[in-house]
Amino acid sequence: MRLVRWYTKTRAGPRLPSLARLPRRHWAVAPAVARRGSLDRTVLTLHTLQSPAAYEQLRTRGRLVADPSLAEPEFVEAYGWMRRQMDERIGPGTGIVWLWAGVGYRELAALCRGCRGEVLLTVRMHRRDVLLSDFGDWHSVLNRSLAIPPLPHETWEAWEERFERTYEEWWRRVQPHADAPLSTWPPPLRAELEASWTAVFEVSSDGRDGAGGVQATTTVVRVEDVVRATRIC
């Protein structure tokens, strides 16, 4: 895929086209045909699906910053943990902008299918400004579950046996606190849980981790980062 500068330079700064002027594409052809790129590169090509309101924020303000108050209440603890990890690993911020890193054309088209009316942005960002994580393993954080990733060269059968054994022992200890906020858990138990979650950041350079690919989180997306914008229909 040939990437070009999408924004227009003006005296007031770089500007994106209005929502009405964006090209409209059927969800099946909205993504540009592209192969998975290496995640070890200095500059990464990423994709994010955003609402028309979010696109207008990016267009008019020159930057897209997520509003933490809009986070799903059910996952506030998980988002809070991810935000703290971002603070430590890529620098301080407030909300989280979610993007896809390790996905190919077919996966991206499937995501677009459920996002008609939204805007697909392709952006290029420096590796230091994003935090990569495995989308499949991220569900351990969302579900407040112990992350038990496979060991190197471990067979599926061996991992499944170890998973069941480890999880059963874990559940025995955590059950009395399962319905309580994490902030009220015994500190050693919470520390053990959150330490296991850091496995989500162990992603391979080819972006083929897990069942759902590799996601990326960042604090802000700027107009200058955008190389393509498409309205999905």
Side-chain angles (χ1 to χ4, degrees), residues 86-103:
M86 292 169 63
D87 290 344
E88 295 177 6
R89 296 167 186 260
I90 63 174
T94 52
I96 304 174
V97 180
W98 299 82
L99 310 99
W100 290 101
V103 292

Side-chain angles (χ1 to χ4, degrees), residues 8 15 20 23 41 51 56-57 59 87 110-112 122 140 161 212:
T8 301
R15 294 293 298 272
R41 295 178 178 175
S51 68
E56 280 300 301
Q57 179 195 137
R59 188 182 74 85
D87 290 344
L111 291 167
C112 289
T122 299
S140 294
E161 180 181 348

Side-chain angles (χ1 to χ4, degrees), residues 40-188:
D40 286 338
R41 295 178 178 175
T42 301
V43 178
L44 301 177
T45 300
L46 309 168
H47 310 277
T48 181
L49 292 156
Q50 297 293 334
S51 68
Y55 178 79
E56 280 300 301
Q57 179 195 137
L58 176 63
R59 188 182 74 85
T60 58
R61 301 180 186 178
R63 54 198 310 225
L64 175 62
V65 179
D67 182 352
S69 68
L70 299 178
E72 297 181 58
E74 182 181 358
F75 301 124
V76 165
E77 290 179 334
Y79 296 153
W81 178 82
M82 177 62 85
R83 183 61 261 178
R84 293 192 296 275
Q85 294 296 312
M86 292 169 63
D87 290 344
E88 295 177 6
R89 296 167 186 260
I90 63 174
T94 52
I96 304 174
V97 180
W98 299 82
L99 310 99
W100 290 101
V103 292
Y105 171 80
R106 291 184 178 180
E107 297 97 326
L108 200 54
L111 291 167
C112 289
R113 185 176 186 178
C115 298
R116 299 175 192 183
E118 297 191 1
V119 179
L120 173 64
L121 296 174
T122 299
V123 302
R124 299 196 75 197
M125 300 187 69
H126 199 287
R127 178 68 176 80
R128 64 171 176 259
D129 295 326
V130 300
L131 180 58
L132 302 179
S133 58
D134 182 276
F135 178 70
D137 290 344
W138 165 243
H139 287 74
S140 294
V141 186
L142 292 176
N143 296 323
R144 302 205 310 177
S145 175
L146 192 71
I148 311 172
L151 299 174
H153 310 299
E154 186 176 33
T155 65
W156 173 262
E157 292 77 11
W159 173 80
E160 190 173 34
E161 180 181 348
R162 182 171 61 85
F163 178 92
E164 292 180 358
R165 183 176 63 254
T166 304
Y167 194 84
E168 182 178 348
E169 191 274 334
W170 161 258
W171 180 248
R172 178 182 57 80
R173 291 186 290 128
V174 79
Q175 190 172 12
H177 316 284
D179 296 327
L182 279 178
S183 59
T184 67
W185 281 29

Side-chain angles (χ1 to χ4, degrees), residues 5 89 147 161 193 200:
R5 190 183 71 204
R89 296 167 186 260
E161 180 181 348
L193 176 66
V200 304

Side-chain angles (χ1 to χ4, degrees), residues 7-18:
Y7 62 88
T8 301
K9 288 186 175 181
T10 69
R11 290 184 177 181
R15 294 293 298 272
L16 290 171
S18 66

